[in-house]
Amino acid sequence: MVKQIILAERPKGEPNKEAFKMEERELPELKDGEVLLTGKFYSVDPYMRGRMSDSKSYVAPFEVGEPISGGVVAQVEESKSSDFAKGDYVIGNLPWATQTVAEAKELRKVGEEDVPLHYYLGVLGMPGLTAYFGLMDIGQPKEGETVVVSGAAGAVGLVVGQIAKIQGCKVVGIAGSDEKIEMLKSEFGYDEGINYKTAGNMQEAVKKACPDGVDIYYDNVGGEVSDGVIMNLNFHARIPLCGQISLYNSKETPTGPRIQPMLLTRSVLMKGFIVSNYQDKFPEGMRKLGQWIREGNVKFTETIVEGFDKLPEAFLGLFSGKNQGKMIVQA
Amino acid sequence: MVKQIILAERPKGEPNKEAFKMEERELPELKDGEVLLTGKFYSVDPYMRGRMSDSKSYVAPFEVGEPISGGVVAQVEESKSSDFAKGDYVIGNLPWATQTVAEAKELRKVGEEDVPLHYYLGVLGMPGLTAYFGLMDIGQPKEGETVVVSGAAGAVGLVVGQIAKIQGCKVVGIAGSDEKIEMLKSEFGYDEGINYKTAGNMQEAVKKACPDGVDIYYDNVGGEVSDGVIMNLNFHARIPLCGQISLYNSKETPTGPRIQPMLLTRSVLMKGFIVSNYQDKFPEGMRKLGQWIREGNVKFTETIVEGFDKLPEAFLGLFSGKNQGKMIVQA
């Protein structure tokens, strides 16, 4: 018998403990091409709130009565696949369960980069890879350019800034508190920071922080913060569109200044993406990030909660700011 | 003595004849690296209206008392440059003058494609090259995809649709009259047309014309027409941003629905450009367009007015719809 955590009911507004239920379940027998896994580290992420509703999105909603799932680092206990041996560590989109049976082809082997295993849920996982491909493939940073990052203190933004520094850019972070701005500058190599809650006119604040204009705007938030940055774009600027978190709770279609005339007259490129667009290149991204971590050029911060049973509590803690950086549960 | 047409005063609102004045002027002596040219074909374009005002733009305004200038095909009368010989035809941004002295390095030789010379101001000139590079480089059309073109009956749009057909795409044009839609379909190979003035709900009209969604949206107009198209974009769609003519006369910053969430969730690329970004590749574009014209796969339509003195009248005619396709004055 293994423990698993299911979606008990769809929350309305901010979720609470009633949304989750712990169950025991028997595991099915292992078939060819499958492996038996024990969970080690579980990722809890704000995007999971969206999957708890049944509204349409490009990620399917969780089912009521079925386990919550997400990024998990697990260890192989038993294998009927030639791809994995007992003792291997793997990562995959897996249920919140102490043990589970999974198809080998849905898993990726990890643990060869000589970094802590939970890094595969953060700087070497989706947040790090999102930062890497958005900045490097869409942003195409060049030495001496100015890079602005919104949501800079988030799990993605922290890494974007550090990669941009490695590329020889000036890096300006936008975040929502003076403490975050201070952390970006003192610990994560950001050159300048803008607290959008106290900055007043964003266009002026960005202009002051970026006297040479903005060459790359890595956008995690959208809305009025982005309006202010876009007014400062240079000719041939690039905008990797990674998130629009300021608009996620809008009930009606949000409106704002039309940006196309600006993109047109300055020959700007804007491109939306999700990290899975780059699935074929994940090994390249992980190799690069792993190298920079070992060299000390990319640092990361996380909050690790101990105990499988704490998964719901850790998830709910995201909404009251209980985490610094990536939030992870260790079984 | 040569004749030239100067900007007499900056027009307010729609320009009239008072804005222009014909003058006679003596030509300077030819220096090394220069050529003496006789004008053959003169381009008149709506964008010139913008240069007659002194508001800031990425193209400098015309000076009052100085000649109007634009795209001109001219013949070399005398050359002090090893790049050109007497009798050669050239194209350049040249003054509205019967003859002029120009620096050789500002000119490009034309006439080797076995097409009428005035084509270098249209299908083999800026409009054709704008169509070619925006569609091919930013749009990257693939066989079987659906391409929507706004401003489809304009000098650029006519060519975009025909190139997209050559690439094996389904092509839908948006224009402002049933006559234009009919012309697009019967003469220029468009599969479907939408008259945005009578279509009602643009989102629904585009959906009906594009049941498989939109893969490329070549945007010449912006505003509400574009809002309707953008709601129908497919995953990985591309938007070459070529013009935003619906917004050019706005006195305040135009507002509308924020498009970033749509571009994000569908991994869409949007890129603004001006044709001069592709200057290094003009020979490639002209070779391709020339080949398609000779093969009969790209057609073009223009209105040719005879007589250098008619330049102001031809220009003013653009605003009362006196032209079909590209408007050109032959000296």
Side-chain angles (χ1 to χ4, degrees):
Chain A
M1 298 294 273
V2 302
K3 286 195 281 188
Q4 64 181 14
I5 296 166
I6 65 163
L7 178 64
E9 60 178 41
R10 299 201 186 278
K12 314 227 182 302
E14 192 172 317
N16 59 37
K17 286 191 173 181
E18 306 302 314
F20 302 96
K21 197 173 140 200
M22 181 87 75
E23 282 189 347
E24 301 215 323
R25 188 175 283 194
E26 229 163 318
L27 286 174
E29 205 168 324
L30 212 56
K31 289 185 289 209
D32 277 349
E34 292 183 337
V35 293
L36 172 63
L37 301 171
T38 297
K40 296 294 176 186
F41 294 96
Y42 300 79
S43 180
V44 295
D45 300 281
Y47 83 87
M48 293 173 161
R49 171 66 188 83
R51 299 193 65 190
M52 297 172 78
S53 302
D54 63 356
S55 56
K56 268 189 193 166
S57 176
Y58 58 109
V59 189
F62 296 128
E63 296 294 332
V64 175
E66 293 295 320
I68 306 288
S69 61
V72 177
V73 172
Q75 190 166 27
V76 176
E77 299 289 344
E78 199 183 328
S79 175
K80 288 203 169 182
S81 159
S82 56
D83 293 337
F84 301 105
K86 183 171 156 62
D88 283 351
Y89 288 101
V90 298
I91 188 168
N93 190 62
L94 295 170
W96 284 5
T98 49
Q99 292 204 315
T100 193
V101 166
E103 289 193 73
K105 64 173 196 248
E106 303 292 331
L107 304 169
R108 204 156 40 81
K109 197 168 170 177
V110 296
E112 286 161 347
E113 276 80 7
D114 193 25
V115 296
L117 278 171
H118 63 262
Y119 272 37
Y120 293 100
L121 299 177
V123 65
L124 279 179
M126 293 307 131
L129 291 167
T130 300
Y132 178 82
F133 290 110
L135 181 66
M136 298 302 283
D137 184 64
I138 301 173
Q140 305 256 350
K142 289 169 202 66
E143 195 174 337
E145 289 191 324
T146 299
V147 178
V148 173
V149 185
S150 62
V156 173
L158 284 183
V159 182
V160 172
Q162 296 177 88
I163 300 176
K165 285 305 296 178
I166 294 169
Q167 306 304 314
C169 299
K170 168 174 171 165
V171 186
V172 177
I174 302 173
S177 77
D178 290 345
E179 291 69 30
K180 285 180 178 173
I181 298 295
E182 185 48 38
M183 172 189 80
L184 290 173
K185 292 203 280 188
S186 62
E187 294 178 43
F188 295 99
Y190 272 79
D191 296 296
E192 300 264 0
I194 300 170
N195 179 348
Y196 71 88
K197 288 185 181 161
T198 58
N201 182 320
M202 273 304 289
Q203 183 179 341
E204 289 302 317
V206 174
K207 190 176 179 180
K208 200 176 149 200
C210 308
D212 297 331
V214 177
D215 299 298
I216 299 176
Y217 173 43
Y218 194 107
D219 186 12
N220 289 302
V221 306
E224 291 174 17
V225 165
S226 293
D227 296 339
V229 181
I230 287 171
M231 294 304 290
N232 286 282
L233 293 175
N234 286 334
F235 200 68
H236 286 304
R238 289 83 68 196
I239 305 179
L241 263 186
C242 177
Q244 295 281 291
I245 201 167
S246 74
L247 309 176
Y248 288 165
N249 295 322
S250 304
K251 294 201 176 83
E252 290 165 16
T253 305
T255 59
R258 290 188 182 276
I259 59 172
Q260 286 98 322
M262 194 69 172
L263 304 191
L264 172 59
T265 53
R266 302 197 183 174
S267 291
V268 174
L269 177 145
M270 173 178 267
K271 184 161 182 358
F273 73 104
I274 51 175
V275 68
S276 59
N277 297 354
Y278 296 98
Q279 203 135 20
D280 295 347
K281 292 179 163 180
F282 280 1
E284 169 207 318
M286 292 178 69
R287 209 162 41 237
K288 274 291 190 190
L289 287 163
Q291 177 196 330
W292 290 329
I293 293 165
R294 283 192 304 277
E295 294 170 354
N297 290 318
V298 167
K299 291 185 286 183
F300 200 61
T301 182
E302 64 255 311
T303 303
I304 300 183
V305 174
E306 304 238 343
F308 176 82
D309 299 359
K310 296 280 176 58
L311 266 165
E313 195 180 314
F315 172 76
L316 297 173
L318 290 170
F319 298 93
S320 47
K322 293 231 166 69
N323 58 310
Q324 190 186 10
K326 184 80 187 97
M327 179 83 117
I328 288 168
V329 173
Q330 180 168 19
Chain B
M1 298 294 274
V2 301
K3 286 195 281 188
Q4 64 180 15
I5 295 165
I6 65 164
L7 178 63
E9 61 178 39
R10 299 201 185 280
K12 314 228 181 301
E14 192 172 316
N16 59 36
K17 286 191 174 181
E18 305 302 314
F20 303 95
K21 197 172 140 199
M22 179 88 74
E23 282 190 346
E24 299 215 323
R25 189 176 282 194
E26 227 161 320
L27 285 175
E29 206 167 324
L30 212 57
K31 287 185 288 211
D32 277 350
E34 292 182 337
V35 293
L36 172 64
L37 301 171
T38 297
K40 296 293 177 188
F41 295 96
Y42 300 80
S43 180
V44 296
D45 299 280
Y47 84 87
M48 292 173 161
R49 171 65 188 85
R51 298 193 66 188
M52 296 172 78
S53 301
D54 64 356
S55 55
K56 268 188 195 169
S57 176
Y58 59 109
V59 188
F62 296 128
E63 296 294 333
V64 174
E66 294 294 321
I68 306 288
S69 62
V72 177
V73 171
Q75 189 166 27
V76 176
E77 298 288 344
E78 199 184 329
S79 175
K80 288 201 171 183
S81 159
S82 56
D83 293 339
F84 300 105
K86 182 170 157 64
D88 283 352
Y89 288 100
V90 298
I91 188 168
N93 189 64
L94 295 169
W96 284 5
T98 50
Q99 292 204 313
T100 194
V101 166
E103 288 192 75
K105 64 174 196 245
E106 303 293 331
L107 304 169
R108 204 157 39 81
K109 198 167 169 176
V110 296
E112 285 159 350
E113 276 81 8
D114 193 26
V115 298
L117 278 172
H118 63 262
Y119 273 37
Y120 294 100
L121 298 177
V123 64
L124 279 179
M126 293 307 131
L129 292 167
T130 300
Y132 178 82
F133 290 110
L135 181 65
M136 297 303 283
D137 183 65
I138 301 173
Q140 305 255 353
K142 289 169 204 65
E143 196 173 336
E145 289 191 325
T146 298
V147 178
V148 173
V149 184
S150 62
V156 173
L158 284 183
V159 182
V160 173
Q162 295 176 88
I163 300 176
K165 286 306 295 179
I166 294 170
Q167 306 304 314
C169 299
K170 168 175 170 164
V171 186
V172 177
I174 302 174
S177 77
D178 290 345
E179 291 69 31
K180 285 179 178 172
I181 298 296
E182 185 47 38
M183 173 189 79
L184 290 173
K185 293 204 280 189
S186 62
E187 294 178 43
F188 295 98
Y190 272 78
D191 296 295
E192 299 265 1
I194 300 170
N195 178 348
Y196 71 88
K197 288 187 180 161
T198 57
N201 182 319
M202 272 305 288
Q203 183 179 344
E204 289 303 316
V206 174
K207 190 176 180 180
K208 200 177 149 200
C210 308
D212 297 330
V214 177
D215 298 297
I216 299 176
Y217 173 42
Y218 193 107
D219 186 11
N220 288 304
V221 307
E224 291 174 16
V225 165
S226 293
D227 296 339
V229 181
I230 287 171
M231 294 305 290
N232 287 282
L233 293 176
N234 286 334
F235 200 68
H236 286 304
R238 289 83 69 196
I239 306 179
L241 264 186
C242 176
Q244 293 282 291
I245 200 167
S246 75
L247 308 176
Y248 288 165
N249 296 321
S250 304
K251 293 201 177 84
E252 290 165 16
T253 305
T255 58
R258 290 188 183 275
I259 58 171
Q260 286 98 322
M262 195 68 171
L263 304 191
L264 172 59
T265 53
R266 302 196 182 174
S267 292
V268 174
L269 176 146
M270 172 179 267
K271 182 159 182 3
F273 73 105
I274 51 176
V275 68
S276 58
N277 297 355
Y278 295 98
Q279 204 135 19
D280 295 347
K281 291 177 163 182
F282 280 1
E284 169 207 318
M286 292 178 70
R287 207 161 42 236
K288 273 293 190 190
L289 287 164
Q291 177 197 331
W292 290 329
I293 293 165
R294 282 192 304 276
E295 293 170 355
N297 289 320
V298 167
K299 291 185 288 183
F300 201 61
T301 181
E302 64 256 310
T303 303
I304 299 184
V305 174
E306 304 237 343
F308 177 81
D309 299 0
K310 295 279 176 61
L311 267 165
E313 193 180 316
F315 173 75
L316 297 173
L318 291 170
F319 298 93
S320 48
K322 295 231 165 70
N323 58 309
Q324 191 186 9
K326 183 79 187 98
M327 180 83 117
I328 289 169
V329 173
Q330 179 167 19

